[in-house]
Amino acid sequence: MIREIIKDPLLLNKKSTDATYEDRWIAQDLLDTLNAHHEHCVGMAANMIGELKNIIIIADQSGPFVMYNPQIIKTTGFPYTIQEGCLSHQGTKETLRYPQIKVAYLDDAFKKKIKTFYDYTAQIIQHEIDHCNGILI
Ligand SMILES: [Zn+2]
C-alpha cells in the first residue's frame, strides 16, 4: 500500500526500534511507496511512512532490496561531503559519508547477513540508517 510521506520533524526525530518477523508487511508498504516516488527517491526508512521500526529499503542499480535492523559495524576510508536530498524535506543539504561500510542486517527472508557496500549504495544506506536513528540530514 502506498503510504503518505511523513514530513513532521518531531516524528522523524524519534528513534526506531528493531523490527520482528511480524513487521515484514511494513517492507511491502515501503516498496510500494518507494515505487510511487521512484523518479526522485533511491531509498526510504520505515519512519518516513510513520512506522518506527528499523527497516530500510535501498534502490540502487541492483534494484530495490530491504534491510531489517541494519547496523554499520565498520567504516573504511576518509569521509567525504556530498549534497543529499530527502523526500521528507525540501531541498538538499551537505552531509558527511563514508565511501565503504560493513553492515550487519537481516535480509528479506530474515536471514542474518554481513556485507560490505561501496560508494553510492553505501551513501544511501548511511542516509536511511540515519533516519532509523532519528537523524535528518
Ligand atoms: Zn531521507
Side-chain angles (χ1 to χ4, degrees):
M1 187 170 74
I2 299 170
R3 304 274 296 269
E4 192 190 336
I5 304 289
I6 303 290
K7 295 184 175 170
D8 182 349
L10 286 176
L11 292 173
L12 293 167
N13 285 342
K14 291 197 173 113
K15 262 177 92 98
S16 293
T17 56
D18 273 350
T20 65
Y21 196 71
E22 285 69 41
D23 293 319
R24 286 171 304 146
W25 64 274
I26 297 171
Q28 184 61 50
D29 279 5
L30 268 182
L31 179 64
D32 295 342
T33 308
L34 177 91
N35 283 336
H37 295 275
H38 69 97
E39 280 161 22
H40 52 278
C41 180
V42 290
M44 289 187 70
N47 67 342
M48 294 171 70
I49 58 168
E51 306 293 341
L52 288 172
K53 295 288 178 176
N54 292 327
I55 307 171
I56 63 175
I57 189 163
I58 308 298
D60 67 357
Q61 301 88 328
S62 62
F65 62 93
V66 172
M67 303 171 97
Y68 294 96
N69 306 335
Q71 281 191 309
I72 296 172
I73 54 176
K74 190 184 175 194
T75 58
T76 304
F78 291 108
Y80 59 93
T81 54
I82 191 157
Q83 294 283 331
E84 284 185 355
C86 180
L87 274 188
S88 285
H89 58 76
Q90 298 272 311
T92 61
K93 277 188 190 160
E94 191 170 86
T95 186
L96 206 61
R97 299 297 180 207
Y98 289 91
Q100 184 180 328
I101 55 171
K102 190 188 262 190
V103 186
Y105 63 101
L106 301 168
D107 70 7
D108 58 354
F110 246 67
K111 286 221 164 67
K112 186 154 187 179
K113 292 263 173 80
I114 292 178
K115 197 171 165 189
T116 300
F117 296 91
Y118 303 89
D119 304 319
Y120 188 51
T121 306
Q123 181 194 347
I124 304 169
I125 293 170
Q126 287 169 87
H127 180 108
E128 304 312 335
I129 289 179
D130 277 354
H131 273 298
C132 291
N133 291 320
I135 298 165
L136 285 171
I137 54 161

Short mmCIF file of all heavy atoms in Angstrom, two decimals, residues 24-66:
data_model
loop_
_atom_site.label_atom_id
_atom_site.label_comp_id
_atom_site.label_asym_id
_atom_site.label_seq_id
_atom_site.Cartn_x
_atom_site.Cartn_y
_atom_site.Cartn_z
N ARG A 24 7.14 -7.59 8.69
CA ARG A 24 7.55 -7.62 7.28
C ARG A 24 6.58 -6.91 6.35
O ARG A 24 6.97 -6.46 5.28
CB ARG A 24 7.77 -9.06 6.82
CG ARG A 24 9.07 -9.66 7.39
CD ARG A 24 9.14 -11.13 7.09
NE ARG A 24 7.93 -11.76 7.63
CZ ARG A 24 7.31 -12.78 7.08
NH1 ARG A 24 7.78 -13.33 6.00
NH2 ARG A 24 6.22 -13.28 7.63
N TRP A 25 5.29 -6.80 6.77
CA TRP A 25 4.32 -6.08 5.93
C TRP A 25 4.75 -4.62 5.72
O TRP A 25 4.41 -4.02 4.71
CB TRP A 25 2.93 -6.15 6.57
CG TRP A 25 2.86 -5.45 7.91
CD1 TRP A 25 3.15 -5.99 9.13
CD2 TRP A 25 2.50 -4.09 8.16
NE1 TRP A 25 3.00 -5.05 10.12
CE2 TRP A 25 2.59 -3.87 9.54
CE3 TRP A 25 2.10 -3.03 7.32
CZ2 TRP A 25 2.31 -2.64 10.13
CZ3 TRP A 25 1.83 -1.81 7.91
CH2 TRP A 25 1.93 -1.62 9.30
N ILE A 26 5.49 -4.08 6.69
CA ILE A 26 5.93 -2.68 6.57
C ILE A 26 6.87 -2.54 5.36
O ILE A 26 6.83 -1.55 4.64
CB ILE A 26 6.64 -2.22 7.87
CG1 ILE A 26 5.65 -2.24 9.04
CG2 ILE A 26 7.24 -0.82 7.70
CD1 ILE A 26 6.30 -2.01 10.41
N ALA A 27 7.70 -3.57 5.12
CA ALA A 27 8.62 -3.53 3.98
C ALA A 27 7.84 -3.47 2.66
O ALA A 27 8.27 -2.80 1.72
CB ALA A 27 9.54 -4.74 4.01
N GLN A 28 6.72 -4.15 2.60
CA GLN A 28 5.89 -4.10 1.38
C GLN A 28 5.35 -2.69 1.17
O GLN A 28 5.37 -2.16 0.05
CB GLN A 28 4.75 -5.11 1.48
CG GLN A 28 3.90 -5.20 0.21
CD GLN A 28 4.71 -5.63 -1.02
OE1 GLN A 28 5.43 -6.62 -0.97
NE2 GLN A 28 4.60 -4.88 -2.10
N ASP A 29 4.88 -2.06 2.24
CA ASP A 29 4.40 -0.67 2.13
C ASP A 29 5.54 0.26 1.72
O ASP A 29 5.34 1.19 0.93
CB ASP A 29 3.80 -0.19 3.46
CG ASP A 29 2.37 -0.69 3.66
OD1 ASP A 29 1.89 -1.47 2.81
OD2 ASP A 29 1.74 -0.29 4.65
N LEU A 30 6.74 0.00 2.25
CA LEU A 30 7.91 0.82 1.88
C LEU A 30 8.20 0.67 0.39
O LEU A 30 8.46 1.66 -0.31
CB LEU A 30 9.15 0.36 2.66
CG LEU A 30 9.49 1.04 3.98
CD1 LEU A 30 10.78 0.44 4.53
CD2 LEU A 30 9.63 2.55 3.83
N LEU A 31 8.15 -0.57 -0.09
CA LEU A 31 8.41 -0.83 -1.51
C LEU A 31 7.37 -0.13 -2.38
O LEU A 31 7.71 0.54 -3.37
CB LEU A 31 8.41 -2.34 -1.77
CG LEU A 31 8.66 -2.76 -3.22
CD1 LEU A 31 10.05 -2.35 -3.69
CD2 LEU A 31 8.49 -4.28 -3.38
N ASP A 32 6.09 -0.27 -2.02
CA ASP A 32 5.02 0.37 -2.80
C ASP A 32 5.18 1.89 -2.82
O ASP A 32 5.00 2.53 -3.86
CB ASP A 32 3.65 0.02 -2.20
CG ASP A 32 3.34 -1.47 -2.32
OD1 ASP A 32 3.98 -2.16 -3.12
OD2 ASP A 32 2.44 -1.94 -1.59
N THR A 33 5.55 2.45 -1.67
CA THR A 33 5.69 3.91 -1.57
C THR A 33 6.92 4.37 -2.33
O THR A 33 6.89 5.39 -3.03
CB THR A 33 5.76 4.33 -0.08
OG1 THR A 33 4.64 3.75 0.61
CG2 THR A 33 5.70 5.85 0.07
N LEU A 34 8.01 3.60 -2.22
CA LEU A 34 9.23 3.91 -2.98
C LEU A 34 8.94 3.89 -4.48
O LEU A 34 9.33 4.80 -5.21
CB LEU A 34 10.33 2.90 -2.64
CG LEU A 34 11.64 3.07 -3.41
CD1 LEU A 34 12.59 3.97 -2.65
CD2 LEU A 34 12.31 1.74 -3.66
N ASN A 35 8.23 2.86 -4.93
CA ASN A 35 7.93 2.75 -6.36
C ASN A 35 7.09 3.93 -6.85
O ASN A 35 7.25 4.38 -7.98
CB ASN A 35 7.19 1.44 -6.65
CG ASN A 35 8.14 0.25 -6.65
OD1 ASN A 35 9.35 0.41 -6.87
ND2 ASN A 35 7.62 -0.94 -6.39
N ALA A 36 6.24 4.45 -5.98
CA ALA A 36 5.41 5.59 -6.34
C ALA A 36 6.23 6.87 -6.48
O ALA A 36 5.79 7.83 -7.09
CB ALA A 36 4.31 5.79 -5.29
N HIS A 37 7.44 6.86 -5.90
CA HIS A 37 8.30 8.05 -5.94
C HIS A 37 9.62 7.75 -6.64
O HIS A 37 10.61 8.45 -6.43
CB HIS A 37 8.60 8.53 -4.51
CG HIS A 37 7.40 9.01 -3.77
ND1 HIS A 37 6.93 10.30 -3.89
CD2 HIS A 37 6.55 8.38 -2.93
CE1 HIS A 37 5.84 10.44 -3.13
NE2 HIS A 37 5.59 9.29 -2.54
N HIS A 38 9.66 6.68 -7.46
CA HIS A 38 10.95 6.16 -7.94
C HIS A 38 11.76 7.16 -8.75
O HIS A 38 12.97 7.05 -8.83
CB HIS A 38 10.74 4.87 -8.75
CG HIS A 38 10.07 5.10 -10.07
ND1 HIS A 38 10.77 5.22 -11.23
CD2 HIS A 38 8.77 5.25 -10.39
CE1 HIS A 38 9.92 5.43 -12.23
NE2 HIS A 38 8.70 5.45 -11.73
N GLU A 39 11.07 8.18 -9.33
CA GLU A 39 11.81 9.12 -10.17
C GLU A 39 12.77 10.00 -9.37
O GLU A 39 13.75 10.50 -9.92
CB GLU A 39 10.83 10.01 -10.95
CG GLU A 39 10.29 9.30 -12.17
CD GLU A 39 9.01 9.93 -12.69
OE1 GLU A 39 8.76 11.10 -12.40
OE2 GLU A 39 8.26 9.21 -13.37
N HIS A 40 12.48 10.20 -8.09
CA HIS A 40 13.36 11.07 -7.31
C HIS A 40 13.62 10.51 -5.91
O HIS A 40 13.85 11.25 -4.98
CB HIS A 40 12.77 12.49 -7.22
CG HIS A 40 11.34 12.52 -6.76
ND1 HIS A 40 10.29 12.29 -7.61
CD2 HIS A 40 10.81 12.71 -5.55
CE1 HIS A 40 9.17 12.34 -6.92
NE2 HIS A 40 9.45 12.59 -5.67
N CYS A 41 13.58 9.18 -5.81
CA CYS A 41 13.81 8.58 -4.50
C CYS A 41 14.59 7.29 -4.67
O CYS A 41 14.20 6.43 -5.45
CB CYS A 41 12.47 8.30 -3.81
SG CYS A 41 12.67 7.57 -2.18
N VAL A 42 15.70 7.16 -3.95
CA VAL A 42 16.54 5.96 -4.08
C VAL A 42 16.59 5.14 -2.80
O VAL A 42 17.30 4.15 -2.71
CB VAL A 42 17.98 6.34 -4.51
CG1 VAL A 42 18.00 6.84 -5.95
CG2 VAL A 42 18.59 7.36 -3.56
N GLY A 43 15.81 5.56 -1.81
CA GLY A 43 15.78 4.80 -0.57
C GLY A 43 14.78 5.39 0.39
O GLY A 43 14.41 6.55 0.27
N MET A 44 14.33 4.56 1.32
CA MET A 44 13.39 5.03 2.34
C MET A 44 13.62 4.27 3.63
O MET A 44 14.10 3.13 3.62
CB MET A 44 11.94 4.79 1.90
CG MET A 44 11.48 5.70 0.77
SD MET A 44 9.72 5.48 0.48
CE MET A 44 9.08 6.22 1.97
N ALA A 45 13.24 4.91 4.73
CA ALA A 45 13.23 4.25 6.03
C ALA A 45 11.77 4.19 6.51
O ALA A 45 10.95 5.04 6.13
CB ALA A 45 14.08 5.02 7.02
N ALA A 46 11.48 3.20 7.36
CA ALA A 46 10.09 2.95 7.77
C ALA A 46 9.47 4.15 8.47
O ALA A 46 8.26 4.38 8.36
CB ALA A 46 10.02 1.71 8.65
N ASN A 47 10.27 4.94 9.20
CA ASN A 47 9.66 6.07 9.90
C ASN A 47 9.15 7.14 8.94
O ASN A 47 8.32 7.97 9.31
CB ASN A 47 10.60 6.67 10.97
CG ASN A 47 11.83 7.34 10.38
OD1 ASN A 47 12.19 7.12 9.23
ND2 ASN A 47 12.49 8.15 11.20
N MET A 48 9.61 7.11 7.69
CA MET A 48 9.11 8.06 6.69
C MET A 48 7.67 7.75 6.30
O MET A 48 7.00 8.59 5.68
CB MET A 48 10.00 8.06 5.45
CG MET A 48 11.40 8.59 5.74
SD MET A 48 12.52 8.34 4.35
CE MET A 48 11.85 9.49 3.15
N ILE A 49 7.19 6.53 6.63
CA ILE A 49 5.77 6.23 6.42
C ILE A 49 5.08 6.02 7.78
O ILE A 49 4.02 5.40 7.86
CB ILE A 49 5.55 5.02 5.48
CG1 ILE A 49 6.24 3.75 6.01
CG2 ILE A 49 6.02 5.34 4.07
CD1 ILE A 49 5.82 2.46 5.27
N GLY A 50 5.71 6.51 8.84
CA GLY A 50 5.06 6.52 10.15
C GLY A 50 5.24 5.27 10.98
O GLY A 50 4.57 5.11 12.00
N GLU A 51 6.12 4.36 10.54
CA GLU A 51 6.35 3.13 11.30
C GLU A 51 7.73 3.21 11.94
O GLU A 51 8.74 3.24 11.24
CB GLU A 51 6.27 1.90 10.37
CG GLU A 51 4.99 1.79 9.57
CD GLU A 51 3.76 1.52 10.43
OE1 GLU A 51 3.91 1.06 11.59
OE2 GLU A 51 2.64 1.78 9.95
N LEU A 52 7.78 3.24 13.26
CA LEU A 52 9.06 3.44 13.97
C LEU A 52 9.79 2.11 14.16
O LEU A 52 10.02 1.65 15.28
CB LEU A 52 8.82 4.14 15.30
CG LEU A 52 8.45 5.62 15.19
CD1 LEU A 52 8.04 6.18 16.53
CD2 LEU A 52 9.59 6.44 14.61
N LYS A 53 10.14 1.50 13.03
CA LYS A 53 10.86 0.22 13.03
C LYS A 53 12.12 0.37 12.19
O LYS A 53 12.14 1.11 11.20
CB LYS A 53 9.98 -0.88 12.43
CG LYS A 53 8.76 -1.18 13.26
CD LYS A 53 9.14 -1.93 14.53
CE LYS A 53 7.91 -2.19 15.39
NZ LYS A 53 8.25 -2.98 16.57
N ASN A 54 13.16 -0.37 12.57
CA ASN A 54 14.43 -0.31 11.84
C ASN A 54 14.34 -1.15 10.56
O ASN A 54 14.83 -2.27 10.49
CB ASN A 54 15.57 -0.81 12.72
CG ASN A 54 15.86 0.13 13.87
OD1 ASN A 54 15.70 1.34 13.76
ND2 ASN A 54 16.25 -0.42 15.00
N ILE A 55 13.67 -0.56 9.58
CA ILE A 55 13.53 -1.21 8.27
C ILE A 55 13.84 -0.15 7.22
O ILE A 55 13.30 0.95 7.27
CB ILE A 55 12.11 -1.73 8.03
CG1 ILE A 55 11.64 -2.62 9.18
CG2 ILE A 55 12.03 -2.49 6.70
CD1 ILE A 55 10.16 -3.00 9.11
N ILE A 56 14.73 -0.50 6.30
CA ILE A 56 15.05 0.44 5.22
C ILE A 56 14.96 -0.29 3.89
O ILE A 56 15.06 -1.52 3.81
CB ILE A 56 16.45 1.08 5.39
CG1 ILE A 56 17.57 0.03 5.32
CG2 ILE A 56 16.53 1.85 6.71
CD1 ILE A 56 18.99 0.64 5.34
N ILE A 57 14.75 0.50 2.85
CA ILE A 57 14.75 -0.06 1.51
C ILE A 57 15.70 0.78 0.66
O ILE A 57 15.74 2.00 0.78
CB ILE A 57 13.32 -0.11 0.92
CG1 ILE A 57 13.30 -0.88 -0.38
CG2 ILE A 57 12.71 1.28 0.76
CD1 ILE A 57 11.90 -1.33 -0.80
N ILE A 58 16.49 0.09 -0.14
CA ILE A 58 17.53 0.73 -0.93
C ILE A 58 17.26 0.43 -2.40
O ILE A 58 17.09 -0.73 -2.78
CB ILE A 58 18.93 0.17 -0.56
CG1 ILE A 58 19.17 0.24 0.95
CG2 ILE A 58 20.03 0.88 -1.35
CD1 ILE A 58 19.17 1.62 1.54
N ALA A 59 17.23 1.48 -3.23
CA ALA A 59 17.00 1.28 -4.66
C ALA A 59 18.24 1.76 -5.42
O ALA A 59 18.25 2.86 -5.96
CB ALA A 59 15.76 2.04 -5.11
N ASP A 60 19.26 0.93 -5.42
CA ASP A 60 20.46 1.26 -6.20
C ASP A 60 20.36 0.57 -7.56
O ASP A 60 19.30 0.08 -7.94
CB ASP A 60 21.73 0.91 -5.44
CG ASP A 60 21.89 -0.59 -5.24
OD1 ASP A 60 20.98 -1.35 -5.65
OD2 ASP A 60 22.92 -1.01 -4.68
N GLN A 61 21.47 0.49 -8.28
CA GLN A 61 21.44 -0.09 -9.63
C GLN A 61 20.96 -1.54 -9.62
O GLN A 61 20.42 -2.02 -10.61
CB GLN A 61 22.84 -0.03 -10.26
CG GLN A 61 23.43 1.36 -10.40
CD GLN A 61 24.19 1.80 -9.15
OE1 GLN A 61 23.85 1.43 -8.02
NE2 GLN A 61 25.22 2.60 -9.35
N SER A 62 21.17 -2.25 -8.51
CA SER A 62 20.80 -3.67 -8.47
C SER A 62 19.32 -3.86 -8.11
O SER A 62 18.86 -4.98 -7.94
CB SER A 62 21.69 -4.41 -7.46
OG SER A 62 21.51 -3.89 -6.16
N GLY A 63 18.59 -2.76 -8.02
CA GLY A 63 17.15 -2.87 -7.76
C GLY A 63 16.84 -2.78 -6.29
O GLY A 63 17.74 -2.88 -5.45
N PRO A 64 15.57 -2.61 -5.93
CA PRO A 64 15.26 -2.39 -4.53
C PRO A 64 15.53 -3.64 -3.68
O PRO A 64 15.23 -4.75 -4.10
CB PRO A 64 13.76 -2.08 -4.53
CG PRO A 64 13.31 -2.02 -5.92
CD PRO A 64 14.40 -2.55 -6.80
N PHE A 65 16.15 -3.43 -2.53
CA PHE A 65 16.28 -4.51 -1.56
C PHE A 65 16.04 -3.95 -0.16
O PHE A 65 16.28 -2.77 0.10
CB PHE A 65 17.64 -5.23 -1.67
CG PHE A 65 18.84 -4.37 -1.40
CD1 PHE A 65 19.40 -4.30 -0.13
CD2 PHE A 65 19.44 -3.65 -2.43
CE1 PHE A 65 20.52 -3.52 0.12
CE2 PHE A 65 20.56 -2.86 -2.18
CZ PHE A 65 21.10 -2.80 -0.91
N VAL A 66 15.54 -4.85 0.71
CA VAL A 66 15.14 -4.46 2.06
C VAL A 66 16.21 -4.89 3.04
O VAL A 66 16.83 -5.95 2.88
CB VAL A 66 13.79 -5.12 2.41
CG1 VAL A 66 13.45 -4.90 3.88
CG2 VAL A 66 12.69 -4.57 1.53
#
